Amino acid sequence: MMTKARTLPSILTVSLHGKQIGTLTHLGDDRILFAFDEAYIEDAERATLSLGFKDEYGALATEFPVTQTRALPFFSNLLPEGHLRTYLAERANVNPVREFALLEALGADLPGAISIALAGGDPVRVEDQPADVTADIAEQPFGFSLAGVQLKFSALLEARGGLTIPARGLGGDWIVKLPSREFEGVPENEFSMMTLAGLVGIDVPPIELVNLADIGNLPDGIGLGDGRLKGKAFAIARFDRGADGARVHIEDFAQIFGVYPEEKYKRASIRQIARVIGIEAGNADVAEFIRRLTFNVLIGNADMHIKNWSLIYPDQKRAALAPAYDFVSTIPYIRDESFALKFSRTKRFDEFGMDELAHLAAKAELPEKLILDTATETAARFHEVWAQEKAHLPMSAQVRTAIEAHLQSLRGF
């Protein structure tokens, strides 16, 4: 049972790359106001916090509405959802719907290079909380989400090769995704799809398939440490943490578009994402985006919502497409004829083709030849790699069979 919530501080500082850039103020009655510091506003060399904070002229927006209970979407998307949110809120002794309190409690290890702390003090560190708060544990309001049946934590790679979840949630450089109780072989599925993606030429972080027995310190209280989960877990290196532990800033497209997590399936399209990448990152990243899009159509991933696409800021200012993540063939578990987001005019897998891609290119004002050539080359490479590797990867026969049938339904791919 939730104990009585503690009294909230009135001001939290927001830092980027270790430098304060703004504040979140609790105004009472669960009202929250975000404001940039004047020094950040006036800094011509300032690091980028989010493309979502650009105004219509491309300048830094500086006026924000007061929000109720929830923070602005940028900050709301830093927090976990669903069961993991409930668990962490209980550990922190806060109400899970009160995002100011959650940001206070979890601010020491947020995704990217952002941190949130009590004004005049250090971030609160909740005892024994799992490290990672990038977990996308969805409530599935608008479609099937494999994120809703897996829990993700940040983990340290130990010298012996096992993975241990840090007790206090700091310093983790891997994300560990435990198996689903409902769907069999999801970690093996994701490992196989991400391996195939790397072979196709997609930018994939280091990945591992690890035994659950090699993961230490699974937290109590969320049904994971009771021995009932068996088999393998999927681990992927965090690309928002450098080799020396330095933080690299990232943001997902829900943050960029100012969309709350529960709207991640319906408030943007692939065409809109491509347009932003073309403007902010350039043609090489547009090609990589189309490569990933084509690949996920081919494997039947119906869960590529806007939180599964992210930008990264290697030099702290300019955006690039972040490495790939969350590539899973969803169709073996729940049959779906449609992609999570509309491509340009349609969501249907069997309507993804040259005509739809040409329409996307025109509307997004991107080079048509680049997009069509990339999709064609990716499809050809995929079929080559699929034929060579499908029998050797650890995916189940169910997954292999579902993808084979799906490929037969696609036109021209």
Side-chain angles (χ1 to χ4, degrees), residues 110-136:
L110 296 171
I114 190 170
S115 59
I116 293 175
L118 295 170
D122 295 326
V124 171
R125 294 173 173 83
V126 181
E127 182 66 21
D128 293 333
Q129 74 183 42
D132 184 60
V133 294
T134 68
D136 181 15

PDB file of all heavy atoms in Angstrom, residues 110-136:
ATOM      1  N   LEU A 110      18.616  10.005 -15.524  1.00  0.00           N
ATOM      2  CA  LEU A 110      17.640  10.099 -16.598  1.00  0.00           C
ATOM      3  C   LEU A 110      18.301   9.795 -17.939  1.00  0.00           C
ATOM      4  O   LEU A 110      19.523   9.850 -18.064  1.00  0.00           O
ATOM      5  CB  LEU A 110      17.036  11.506 -16.620  1.00  0.00           C
ATOM      6  CG  LEU A 110      16.232  11.882 -15.370  1.00  0.00           C
ATOM      7  CD1 LEU A 110      15.875  13.358 -15.395  1.00  0.00           C
ATOM      8  CD2 LEU A 110      14.978  11.025 -15.241  1.00  0.00           C
ATOM      9  N   PRO A 111      17.518   9.487 -18.975  1.00  0.00           N
ATOM     10  CA  PRO A 111      18.098   9.241 -20.293  1.00  0.00           C
ATOM     11  C   PRO A 111      18.844  10.470 -20.808  1.00  0.00           C
ATOM     12  O   PRO A 111      18.484  11.616 -20.516  1.00  0.00           O
ATOM     13  CB  PRO A 111      16.867   8.953 -21.170  1.00  0.00           C
ATOM     14  CG  PRO A 111      15.817   8.516 -20.223  1.00  0.00           C
ATOM     15  CD  PRO A 111      16.065   9.274 -18.950  1.00  0.00           C
ATOM     16  N   GLY A 112      19.890  10.237 -21.577  1.00  0.00           N
ATOM     17  CA  GLY A 112      20.642  11.328 -22.168  1.00  0.00           C
ATOM     18  C   GLY A 112      21.527  12.026 -21.161  1.00  0.00           C
ATOM     19  O   GLY A 112      21.959  11.450 -20.160  1.00  0.00           O
ATOM     20  N   ALA A 113      21.797  13.304 -21.403  1.00  0.00           N
ATOM     21  CA  ALA A 113      22.724  14.074 -20.568  1.00  0.00           C
ATOM     22  C   ALA A 113      22.005  15.009 -19.627  1.00  0.00           C
ATOM     23  O   ALA A 113      22.590  15.956 -19.113  1.00  0.00           O
ATOM     24  CB  ALA A 113      23.685  14.859 -21.455  1.00  0.00           C
ATOM     25  N   ILE A 114      20.731  14.765 -19.377  1.00  0.00           N
ATOM     26  CA  ILE A 114      19.952  15.624 -18.501  1.00  0.00           C
ATOM     27  C   ILE A 114      19.912  15.024 -17.096  1.00  0.00           C
ATOM     28  O   ILE A 114      19.851  13.801 -16.916  1.00  0.00           O
ATOM     29  CB  ILE A 114      18.523  15.828 -19.055  1.00  0.00           C
ATOM     30  CG1 ILE A 114      17.784  16.912 -18.283  1.00  0.00           C
ATOM     31  CG2 ILE A 114      17.734  14.530 -19.049  1.00  0.00           C
ATOM     32  CD1 ILE A 114      16.474  17.327 -18.931  1.00  0.00           C
ATOM     33  N   SER A 115      19.950  15.875 -16.083  1.00  0.00           N
ATOM     34  CA  SER A 115      19.768  15.453 -14.703  1.00  0.00           C
ATOM     35  C   SER A 115      18.942  16.505 -13.984  1.00  0.00           C
ATOM     36  O   SER A 115      18.947  17.684 -14.349  1.00  0.00           O
ATOM     37  CB  SER A 115      21.107  15.238 -13.995  1.00  0.00           C
ATOM     38  OG  SER A 115      21.868  16.430 -13.995  1.00  0.00           O
ATOM     39  N   ILE A 116      18.222  16.042 -12.966  1.00  0.00           N
ATOM     40  CA  ILE A 116      17.323  16.914 -12.221  1.00  0.00           C
ATOM     41  C   ILE A 116      17.610  16.737 -10.737  1.00  0.00           C
ATOM     42  O   ILE A 116      17.735  15.605 -10.252  1.00  0.00           O
ATOM     43  CB  ILE A 116      15.855  16.601 -12.552  1.00  0.00           C
ATOM     44  CG1 ILE A 116      15.569  16.979 -14.025  1.00  0.00           C
ATOM     45  CG2 ILE A 116      14.893  17.312 -11.612  1.00  0.00           C
ATOM     46  CD1 ILE A 116      14.196  16.617 -14.509  1.00  0.00           C
ATOM     47  N   ALA A 117      17.729  17.852 -10.015  1.00  0.00           N
ATOM     48  CA  ALA A 117      18.120  17.804  -8.615  1.00  0.00           C
ATOM     49  C   ALA A 117      17.342  18.813  -7.799  1.00  0.00           C
ATOM     50  O   ALA A 117      16.776  19.770  -8.336  1.00  0.00           O
ATOM     51  CB  ALA A 117      19.620  18.090  -8.480  1.00  0.00           C
ATOM     52  N   LEU A 118      17.304  18.588  -6.504  1.00  0.00           N
ATOM     53  CA  LEU A 118      16.756  19.583  -5.607  1.00  0.00           C
ATOM     54  C   LEU A 118      17.557  20.871  -5.736  1.00  0.00           C
ATOM     55  O   LEU A 118      18.782  20.832  -5.820  1.00  0.00           O
ATOM     56  CB  LEU A 118      16.838  19.085  -4.162  1.00  0.00           C
ATOM     57  CG  LEU A 118      16.003  17.857  -3.791  1.00  0.00           C
ATOM     58  CD1 LEU A 118      16.397  17.378  -2.407  1.00  0.00           C
ATOM     59  CD2 LEU A 118      14.535  18.181  -3.857  1.00  0.00           C
ATOM     60  N   ALA A 119      16.893  21.991  -5.747  1.00  0.00           N
ATOM     61  CA  ALA A 119      17.599  23.272  -5.803  1.00  0.00           C
ATOM     62  C   ALA A 119      18.532  23.385  -4.600  1.00  0.00           C
ATOM     63  O   ALA A 119      18.119  23.200  -3.464  1.00  0.00           O
ATOM     64  CB  ALA A 119      16.603  24.426  -5.812  1.00  0.00           C
ATOM     65  N   GLY A 120      19.801  23.632  -4.886  1.00  0.00           N
ATOM     66  CA  GLY A 120      20.774  23.763  -3.823  1.00  0.00           C
ATOM     67  C   GLY A 120      21.283  22.457  -3.272  1.00  0.00           C
ATOM     68  O   GLY A 120      22.012  22.430  -2.282  1.00  0.00           O
ATOM     69  N   GLY A 121      20.923  21.329  -3.915  1.00  0.00           N
ATOM     70  CA  GLY A 121      21.349  20.040  -3.398  1.00  0.00           C
ATOM     71  C   GLY A 121      21.563  19.033  -4.484  1.00  0.00           C
ATOM     72  O   GLY A 121      21.521  19.341  -5.673  1.00  0.00           O
ATOM     73  N   ASP A 122      21.805  17.797  -4.096  1.00  0.00           N
ATOM     74  CA  ASP A 122      22.029  16.701  -5.032  1.00  0.00           C
ATOM     75  C   ASP A 122      20.712  16.024  -5.358  1.00  0.00           C
ATOM     76  O   ASP A 122      19.755  16.082  -4.586  1.00  0.00           O
ATOM     77  CB  ASP A 122      22.986  15.664  -4.435  1.00  0.00           C
ATOM     78  CG  ASP A 122      24.370  16.226  -4.220  1.00  0.00           C
ATOM     79  OD1 ASP A 122      24.776  17.077  -5.045  1.00  0.00           O
ATOM     80  OD2 ASP A 122      25.033  15.833  -3.253  1.00  0.00           O
ATOM     81  N   PRO A 123      20.660  15.332  -6.514  1.00  0.00           N
ATOM     82  CA  PRO A 123      19.458  14.569  -6.830  1.00  0.00           C
ATOM     83  C   PRO A 123      19.184  13.517  -5.773  1.00  0.00           C
ATOM     84  O   PRO A 123      20.094  12.957  -5.180  1.00  0.00           O
ATOM     85  CB  PRO A 123      19.798  13.907  -8.171  1.00  0.00           C
ATOM     86  CG  PRO A 123      20.918  14.727  -8.714  1.00  0.00           C
ATOM     87  CD  PRO A 123      21.682  15.227  -7.537  1.00  0.00           C
ATOM     88  N   VAL A 124      17.912  13.267  -5.509  1.00  0.00           N
ATOM     89  CA  VAL A 124      17.535  12.195  -4.595  1.00  0.00           C
ATOM     90  C   VAL A 124      17.872  10.861  -5.237  1.00  0.00           C
ATOM     91  O   VAL A 124      17.611  10.638  -6.417  1.00  0.00           O
ATOM     92  CB  VAL A 124      16.024  12.261  -4.280  1.00  0.00           C
ATOM     93  CG1 VAL A 124      15.575  11.029  -3.511  1.00  0.00           C
ATOM     94  CG2 VAL A 124      15.719  13.514  -3.488  1.00  0.00           C
ATOM     95  N   ARG A 125      18.446   9.959  -4.478  1.00  0.00           N
ATOM     96  CA  ARG A 125      18.753   8.618  -4.970  1.00  0.00           C
ATOM     97  C   ARG A 125      17.923   7.626  -4.181  1.00  0.00           C
ATOM     98  O   ARG A 125      18.157   7.407  -2.995  1.00  0.00           O
ATOM     99  CB  ARG A 125      20.244   8.324  -4.834  1.00  0.00           C
ATOM    100  CG  ARG A 125      21.110   9.200  -5.732  1.00  0.00           C
ATOM    101  CD  ARG A 125      22.577   8.996  -5.426  1.00  0.00           C
ATOM    102  NE  ARG A 125      23.421   9.693  -6.387  1.00  0.00           N
ATOM    103  CZ  ARG A 125      23.729  10.983  -6.304  1.00  0.00           C
ATOM    104  NH1 ARG A 125      23.257  11.709  -5.323  1.00  0.00           N
ATOM    105  NH2 ARG A 125      24.504  11.541  -7.213  1.00  0.00           N
ATOM    106  N   VAL A 126      16.953   7.026  -4.825  1.00  0.00           N
ATOM    107  CA  VAL A 126      16.052   6.117  -4.144  1.00  0.00           C
ATOM    108  C   VAL A 126      16.772   4.809  -3.869  1.00  0.00           C
ATOM    109  O   VAL A 126      17.358   4.209  -4.758  1.00  0.00           O
ATOM    110  CB  VAL A 126      14.794   5.865  -5.005  1.00  0.00           C
ATOM    111  CG1 VAL A 126      13.844   4.946  -4.282  1.00  0.00           C
ATOM    112  CG2 VAL A 126      14.123   7.190  -5.324  1.00  0.00           C
ATOM    113  N   GLU A 127      16.728   4.336  -2.653  1.00  0.00           N
ATOM    114  CA  GLU A 127      17.447   3.127  -2.266  1.00  0.00           C
ATOM    115  C   GLU A 127      16.990   1.934  -3.097  1.00  0.00           C
ATOM    116  O   GLU A 127      15.805   1.647  -3.206  1.00  0.00           O
ATOM    117  CB  GLU A 127      17.221   2.840  -0.774  1.00  0.00           C
ATOM    118  CG  GLU A 127      17.977   1.623  -0.247  1.00  0.00           C
ATOM    119  CD  GLU A 127      19.490   1.839  -0.270  1.00  0.00           C
ATOM    120  OE1 GLU A 127      19.914   3.003  -0.295  1.00  0.00           O
ATOM    121  OE2 GLU A 127      20.230   0.838  -0.259  1.00  0.00           O
ATOM    122  N   ASP A 128      17.944   1.272  -3.711  1.00  0.00           N
ATOM    123  CA  ASP A 128      17.724   0.018  -4.431  1.00  0.00           C
ATOM    124  C   ASP A 128      16.823   0.151  -5.647  1.00  0.00           C
ATOM    125  O   ASP A 128      16.277  -0.841  -6.123  1.00  0.00           O
ATOM    126  CB  ASP A 128      17.140  -1.054  -3.503  1.00  0.00           C
ATOM    127  CG  ASP A 128      18.136  -1.463  -2.435  1.00  0.00           C
ATOM    128  OD1 ASP A 128      19.352  -1.355  -2.677  1.00  0.00           O
ATOM    129  OD2 ASP A 128      17.690  -1.886  -1.360  1.00  0.00           O
ATOM    130  N   GLN A 129      16.641   1.335  -6.175  1.00  0.00           N
ATOM    131  CA  GLN A 129      15.830   1.445  -7.381  1.00  0.00           C
ATOM    132  C   GLN A 129      16.631   0.941  -8.580  1.00  0.00           C
ATOM    133  O   GLN A 129      17.841   1.087  -8.626  1.00  0.00           O
ATOM    134  CB  GLN A 129      15.405   2.890  -7.634  1.00  0.00           C
ATOM    135  CG  GLN A 129      16.539   3.781  -8.138  1.00  0.00           C
ATOM    136  CD  GLN A 129      16.089   5.201  -8.309  1.00  0.00           C
ATOM    137  OE1 GLN A 129      15.380   5.737  -7.483  1.00  0.00           O
ATOM    138  NE2 GLN A 129      16.501   5.821  -9.385  1.00  0.00           N
ATOM    139  N   PRO A 130      15.967   0.315  -9.571  1.00  0.00           N
ATOM    140  CA  PRO A 130      16.675  -0.031 -10.793  1.00  0.00           C
ATOM    141  C   PRO A 130      17.198   1.221 -11.451  1.00  0.00           C
ATOM    142  O   PRO A 130      16.608   2.294 -11.334  1.00  0.00           O
ATOM    143  CB  PRO A 130      15.590  -0.702 -11.658  1.00  0.00           C
ATOM    144  CG  PRO A 130      14.553  -1.126 -10.688  1.00  0.00           C
ATOM    145  CD  PRO A 130      14.586  -0.110  -9.578  1.00  0.00           C
ATOM    146  N   ALA A 131      18.304   1.069 -12.181  1.00  0.00           N
ATOM    147  CA  ALA A 131      18.968   2.259 -12.688  1.00  0.00           C
ATOM    148  C   ALA A 131      18.216   2.952 -13.784  1.00  0.00           C
ATOM    149  O   ALA A 131      18.128   4.162 -13.810  1.00  0.00           O
ATOM    150  CB  ALA A 131      20.352   1.884 -13.205  1.00  0.00           C
ATOM    151  N   ASP A 132      17.709   2.209 -14.737  1.00  0.00           N
ATOM    152  CA  ASP A 132      17.282   2.866 -15.959  1.00  0.00           C
ATOM    153  C   ASP A 132      15.858   3.360 -15.886  1.00  0.00           C
ATOM    154  O   ASP A 132      14.971   2.667 -15.434  1.00  0.00           O
ATOM    155  CB  ASP A 132      17.407   1.915 -17.139  1.00  0.00           C
ATOM    156  CG  ASP A 132      17.054   2.617 -18.422  1.00  0.00           C
ATOM    157  OD1 ASP A 132      17.735   3.603 -18.728  1.00  0.00           O
ATOM    158  OD2 ASP A 132      16.107   2.192 -19.082  1.00  0.00           O
ATOM    159  N   VAL A 133      15.628   4.588 -16.327  1.00  0.00           N
ATOM    160  CA  VAL A 133      14.283   5.103 -16.424  1.00  0.00           C
ATOM    161  C   VAL A 133      13.928   5.403 -17.868  1.00  0.00           C
ATOM    162  O   VAL A 133      12.994   6.136 -18.142  1.00  0.00           O
ATOM    163  CB  VAL A 133      14.089   6.357 -15.545  1.00  0.00           C
ATOM    164  CG1 VAL A 133      14.223   6.005 -14.090  1.00  0.00           C
ATOM    165  CG2 VAL A 133      15.068   7.449 -15.926  1.00  0.00           C
ATOM    166  N   THR A 134      14.674   4.788 -18.788  1.00  0.00           N
ATOM    167  CA  THR A 134      14.290   4.935 -20.181  1.00  0.00           C
ATOM    168  C   THR A 134      13.265   3.886 -20.569  1.00  0.00           C
ATOM    169  O   THR A 134      12.815   3.834 -21.695  1.00  0.00           O
ATOM    170  CB  THR A 134      15.498   4.788 -21.131  1.00  0.00           C
ATOM    171  OG1 THR A 134      15.972   3.447 -21.092  1.00  0.00           O
ATOM    172  CG2 THR A 134      16.601   5.738 -20.749  1.00  0.00           C
ATOM    173  N   ALA A 135      12.901   3.025 -19.650  1.00  0.00           N
ATOM    174  CA  ALA A 135      12.050   1.891 -19.969  1.00  0.00           C
ATOM    175  C   ALA A 135      10.723   2.344 -20.538  1.00  0.00           C
ATOM    176  O   ALA A 135      10.064   3.223 -20.017  1.00  0.00           O
ATOM    177  CB  ALA A 135      11.815   1.052 -18.730  1.00  0.00           C
ATOM    178  N   ASP A 136      10.342   1.693 -21.595  1.00  0.00           N
ATOM    179  CA  ASP A 136       9.086   2.012 -22.256  1.00  0.00           C
ATOM    180  C   ASP A 136       8.091   0.910 -21.914  1.00  0.00           C
ATOM    181  O   ASP A 136       7.887  -0.011 -22.673  1.00  0.00           O
ATOM    182  CB  ASP A 136       9.335   2.096 -23.771  1.00  0.00           C
ATOM    183  CG  ASP A 136       8.080   2.450 -24.534  1.00  0.00           C
ATOM    184  OD1 ASP A 136       7.103   2.895 -23.928  1.00  0.00           O
ATOM    185  OD2 ASP A 136       8.082   2.240 -25.757  1.00  0.00           O
TER     186      ASP A 136
END
